[in-house]
Amino acid sequence: MVGESFIITGLLLIAAASLFKSKRKKWAIATLPLTVLPAVNALVGFFSRVILKVKLGFVTEICIIMGALIVSCTWIGFLTATLLNRRKARVPYMIGCIAFNIALAAIFMGYYYSVLEL
């Protein structure tokens, strides 16, 4: 899942860069919280498996994912309250971003559960 996480993070950063280039700076900043969960998953997986050569336990991986999910959702809530001015844009943005993060976290957890060695 490390490679997939790097790809997801890269695609989200490309989306943010394209929004920034098209002079939609608020929306470019608003897409950055979506990169937290896949970036944390990719970096933790890369450092633990490639550099340190350590296999993390299932509970440790789930705690890292949940921590990244909490940080990302908190950042989304903060940006919704401060950055987006129109109410019409706030609700769909917040629902969509939080749903994306929860679905991605569930996919990561399902993967780590499937490779769990009992």
Side-chain angles (χ1 to χ4, degrees):
M1 271 316 234
V2 174
E4 292 88 347
S5 296
F6 275 121
I7 291 171
I8 293 169
T9 304
L11 289 173
L12 289 170
L13 289 174
I14 289 170
S18 66
L19 284 168
F20 187 76
K21 188 174 180 179
S22 67
K23 306 217 184 338
R24 295 182 180 265
K25 293 177 183 156
K26 286 184 180 181
W27 286 105
I29 294 169
T31 58
L32 292 178
L34 296 176
T35 63
V36 171
L37 184 62
V40 166
N41 188 46
L43 291 175
V44 167
F46 178 74
F47 282 117
S48 69
R49 291 186 185 98
V50 176
I51 294 177
L52 300 175
K53 294 185 170 78
V54 175
K55 180 160 175 42
L56 297 177
F58 176 71
V59 175
T60 306
E61 291 171 341
I62 297 304
C63 287
I64 291 169
I65 290 172
M66 293 304 292
L69 181 66
I70 290 168
V71 168
S72 179
C73 289
T74 304
W75 192 7
I76 290 168
F78 174 75
L79 288 179
T80 302
T82 59
L83 192 65
L84 303 176
N85 298 331
R86 297 184 322 193
R87 180 163 167 75
K88 280 182 148 182
R90 285 182 182 179
V91 175
Y93 164 75
M94 194 158 65
I95 290 172
C97 288
I98 290 174
F100 173 80
N101 276 335
I102 289 173
L104 193 59
I107 290 168
F108 289 154
M109 285 187 227
Y111 171 76
Y112 289 127
Y113 183 75
S114 70
V115 297
L116 181 65
E117 296 174 6
L118 298 175

